[in-house]
Amino acid sequence: NEVTSAFATVAPDSALKSDSALNKFLASAKESGYNTAVFTLKNTTGELLYKSSLKAVKDNTDVNKGSLTAAQIVKACKTAGITPVAAITTLFDNAGYIISDGNWSWLDAAADNGGKPWTTPYSADAVNYYADICGELAKAGFADIELENTVFPNFQSYDYSLLSKELQNANRSEKLAVLAATCAKKAKEGNATATVEIKADALLTMSA
């Protein structure tokens, strides 16, 4: 079988505002020679940019911001001959969305210095929330889901005097692996793959 290379473009958030906006973007992408479009469906402020039916957020208008369902996005892409890819931010989550166990986040700096909330992978509820998003997107027809910002904040020396001992262990990255595996398992149930995005410059500098 002939393998078709992906020639991808990243969709602006504005493309998800309406059916017409999405179709206009897809037509332009197709005309420019793209065969794949990456849609950011959960951003770093914690907002879902598609209309989710997940119980945890379906009635939360501060989080559930989308105008189109994931299935509508997929259908429009397939009609246009474009392969849809979903991207979701995981641990860098500034929404302040409170996971039910009540112990889900920390700030990456002091609040009065503009510190932003991050979700902890030590929270099972947080991990399951991201996995449920992957499951919903997979069932809607997204075959590929990119997990962005699946990292810990850049802890400073002072942070280590405040953080629990488990976060000072060298094996803390295992929690990131569990998050990725849980998302991948949920995605696979919908015949999709979930992959952790790692920036090339981080690999080249061995800082990932």
Side-chain angles (χ1 to χ4, degrees), residues 82-162:
I82 297 283
T83 300
V85 174
I88 68 167
T89 282
T90 57
L91 299 177
F92 184 28
D93 189 338
N94 294 173
Y97 174 74
I98 303 300
I99 304 297
S100 61
D101 64 10
N103 183 25
W104 74 283
S105 70
W106 50 64
L107 300 180
D108 59 13
D112 55 4
N113 286 336
K116 303 296 185 184
W118 285 64
T119 304
T120 171
Y122 286 86
S123 165
D125 283 349
V127 170
N128 289 332
Y129 171 57
Y130 298 130
D132 285 344
I133 292 172
C134 289
E136 183 174 48
L137 296 176
K139 289 177 182 177
F142 282 95
D144 294 294
I145 303 165
E146 296 179 358
L147 306 177
E148 299 180 340
N149 296 300
T150 307
V151 294
F152 288 98
N154 290 320
F155 296 129
Q156 305 301 313
S157 297
Y158 178 68
D159 296 324
Y160 286 106
S161 67
L162 302 175

Side-chain angles (χ1 to χ4, degrees), residues 22-33:
L22 178 56
N23 289 329
K24 182 178 180 180
F25 161 74
L26 292 171
S28 176
K30 191 71 174 178
E31 186 177 344
S32 298

Side-chain angles (χ1 to χ4, degrees), residues 3-9 33-38 83 85 144:
V3 177
T4 302
S5 298
F7 187 35
T9 182
Y34 294 105
N35 60 12
T36 303
V38 181
T83 300
V85 174
D144 294 294

